[in-house]
Amino acid sequence: MLTRDFLQNADCKTAFGTIEESLLLTSEQRAASLDCTLSRRPDNSPVWVFGYGSLMWNPVFESEEVRPATLQGWHRAFCLRLTAGRGTLHQPGRMLALKEGGSTTGLAFRLPEAKLHEELELLWKREMLTGCYLPTWCDLSLADGQVVTALVFVMNPQHPLFEEDTSHQVIAPLIASANGPLGTNAQYLFSLDTELRNQGMKDDCIGDLVCYVQQWLQQNTSGPVGGEATA
């Protein structure tokens, strides 16, 4: 279970599964990344974080406000080769990221200024194990029309784990087959789809992918095709 306590005490080299040593960021590198990101903070307005995947249902960090939001210029894509967490080196899955183009609906979390660095350190330990994401300051449109500046974790297309081909035919078998210390890759996808539906956020691409993965599971396994995600 990916909890606050788990993250605070996790040994990044072992807690999420086997991560290739050359890809794993050190604690010093993560701290430098966080400091660099905060140095680019556009102004002194509140810091928001955009959740478009598991942050939506399991943020772990503390927030003072949560609002539905839309991000322009980026769309969800399972373009990150997943070799830890919910996959392994020998049975890799696919994890969610953002690729350029289109738009994405999700949740905006306003972080408490008094605990900003503490909460972001936790977030960096979760999202920046290998530096696969680029922490980027973006404008978000909240449901009432207000525009806020938020931290958004977008895919680094230069990262070794980046995968260009995200066609359902390619990624559905990978997602259906992969599992790791945090659970199965399919559970993550199903929980994402459930959360989007609960929030009234339509994403046809995710819904179609769910159908592909469910069909693959039904054809290739005799077990259940659903389940609760833990992260």
Side-chain angles (χ1 to χ4, degrees), residues 107-163:
L107 296 178
F109 298 85
R110 180 168 61 83
L111 272 57
E113 187 67 31
K115 300 180 65 177
L116 180 61
H117 206 275
E118 176 184 346
E119 299 307 313
L120 288 178
E121 280 183 335
L122 202 65
L123 182 60
W124 249 249
K125 193 172 184 180
R126 171 178 177 158
E127 302 295 341
M128 295 294 286
L129 283 176
T130 67
C132 56
Y133 296 114
L134 297 174
T136 306
W137 295 99
C138 298
D139 287 341
L140 291 184
S141 298
L142 304 184
D144 62 0
Q146 179 185 359
V147 176
V148 299
T149 302
L151 271 173
V152 182
F153 289 89
V154 304
M155 185 69 214
N156 177 2
Q158 306 303 317
H159 196 275
L161 295 179
F162 171 67
E163 296 284 359

Side-chain angles (χ1 to χ4, degrees), residues 7-23:
L7 274 178
Q8 288 174 330
N9 295 290
D11 180 344
C12 294
K13 292 184 178 181
T14 59
F16 301 92
T18 303
I19 300 176
E20 188 177 334
E21 191 76 22
S22 63
L23 296 179

Side-chain angles (χ1 to χ4, degrees), residues 66-121:
V66 184
R67 304 274 294 279
T70 300
L71 173 67
Q72 297 293 339
W74 301 88
H75 67 278
R76 287 183 182 87
F78 280 86
C79 59
L80 174 60
R81 188 163 73 255
L82 184 62
T83 59
R86 293 178 177 275
T88 65
L89 289 170
H90 301 294
Q91 187 77 67
R94 286 291 184 91
M95 184 44 64
L96 191 64
L98 291 177
K99 291 178 68 176
E100 287 193 75
S103 64
T104 305
T105 52
L107 296 178
F109 298 85
R110 180 168 61 83
L111 272 57
E113 187 67 31
K115 300 180 65 177
L116 180 61
H117 206 275
E118 176 184 346
E119 299 307 313
L120 288 178
E121 280 183 335

Side-chain angles (χ1 to χ4, degrees), residues 86 182 184 187-188 191 194 226-231:
R86 293 178 177 275
L182 296 183
T184 71
Q187 286 170 340
Y188 176 95
S191 288
T194 297
E228 292 300 320
T230 58

